[in-house]
Amino acid sequence: MKFTKEKIKNAVVIIAVGVLLFTPVGFHFKVFVNRIISFSPDVLEASNQTKLSSYNWHLSSDNKRSDIHNFKVHEGKVVLINFWATWCPPCVAEMPSFQALYNDYKDDVIFVFVANDEKKNVDTYLVKKDYSLPVFYEKSKRPIELTSGSIPTTYILDKSGAIVVKEKGAADWNSDMIRQLLDTLIAEK
């Protein structure tokens, strides 16, 4: 078999694609690309906003039944809910922006990061990245309005329980637009 420049180029491209798709290098590349293409999420028009039918949703900060947290305690507050996993490149891509937002708004906004992952993986990830985000695990069926077939999916609820932001995929959550939205929602009576 004779190796031509064309065959060598093709082999290099195939190897590069394989590395990007099937190795940890590829995971980090996908995270990098998602960060580059992430923009601020859009606020839903009032006519497209829906309200939660129920706040009765049980979460836990561990994988046991010993630490049950009822989402109902957040009724009447501004809430940001994110469904994510450590194995999901778009999820990992948006975490730095969430941490920056959380650092500034944790006293005024309820943050609920619902992991679709093993607790040990989540704990390792949070420690490695030095994140202090409040992570929970579902212990009961979530409200139907928070059902999505993909992760990451993020919702922002106003004090009345209306979903004002529903974003699928990675986004820049530390944008001026989101900060202005949160300031407005916090100020509402």
Side-chain angles (χ1 to χ4, degrees):
M1 179 175 185
K2 186 175 181 181
F3 289 102
T4 63
K5 280 187 176 182
E6 187 69 28
K7 287 182 181 179
I8 293 171
K9 284 181 190 177
N10 289 342
V12 168
V13 168
I14 290 170
I15 291 169
V17 169
V19 166
L20 289 177
L21 291 177
F22 303 111
T23 69
V25 171
F27 180 86
H28 296 294
F29 178 75
K30 292 173 195 171
V31 169
F32 174 75
V33 169
N34 272 280
R35 282 192 185 140
I36 290 173
I37 62 173
S38 293
F39 298 101
S40 185
D42 294 323
V43 176
L44 295 171
E45 295 291 329
S47 60
N48 293 329
Q49 295 178 8
T50 57
K51 286 193 178 192
L52 287 189
S53 55
S54 171
Y55 276 78
N56 194 22
W57 179 31
H58 295 99
L59 304 163
S60 176
S61 59
D62 60 29
N63 284 335
K64 301 175 187 130
R65 303 274 305 155
S66 61
D67 183 26
I68 299 298
H69 173 88
N70 193 336
F71 187 70
K72 190 160 183 64
V73 300
H74 303 312
E75 194 167 2
K77 299 174 184 166
V78 177
V79 183
L80 183 148
I81 306 162
N82 173 259
F83 295 92
W84 72 289
T86 62
W87 47 262
C88 164
C91 301
V92 171
E94 65 184 0
M95 283 298 157
S97 67
F98 275 131
Q99 184 63 56
L101 192 68
Y102 177 74
N103 290 345
D104 293 340
Y105 284 89
K106 64 184 169 193
D107 294 331
D108 299 310
V109 174
I110 305 300
F111 288 83
V112 179
F113 292 88
V114 182
N116 183 13
D117 209 332
E118 295 294 322
K119 182 173 177 15
K120 65 181 167 74
N121 296 341
V122 171
D123 290 346
T124 300
Y125 173 77
L126 294 174
V127 168
K128 179 180 176 186
K129 296 296 186 176
D130 197 29
Y131 291 152
S132 58
L133 304 169
V135 175
F136 297 92
Y137 302 88
E138 290 187 277
K139 296 300 175 188
S140 69
K141 188 174 179 180
R142 70 182 76 159
I144 190 74
E145 298 82 6
L146 301 179
T147 301
S148 171
S150 64
I151 60 171
T153 300
T154 304
Y155 302 88
I156 296 178
L157 310 177
D158 69 9
K159 291 178 181 177
S160 73
I163 298 171
V164 296
V165 172
K166 177 182 180 179
E167 186 71 23
K168 292 182 181 182
D172 177 11
W173 294 97
N174 195 32
S175 67
D176 290 338
M177 193 279 298
I178 289 296
R179 287 175 170 272
Q180 290 171 2
L181 172 65
L182 291 178
D183 291 340
T184 301
L185 295 176
I186 292 164
E188 289 177 352
K189 296 293 177 194

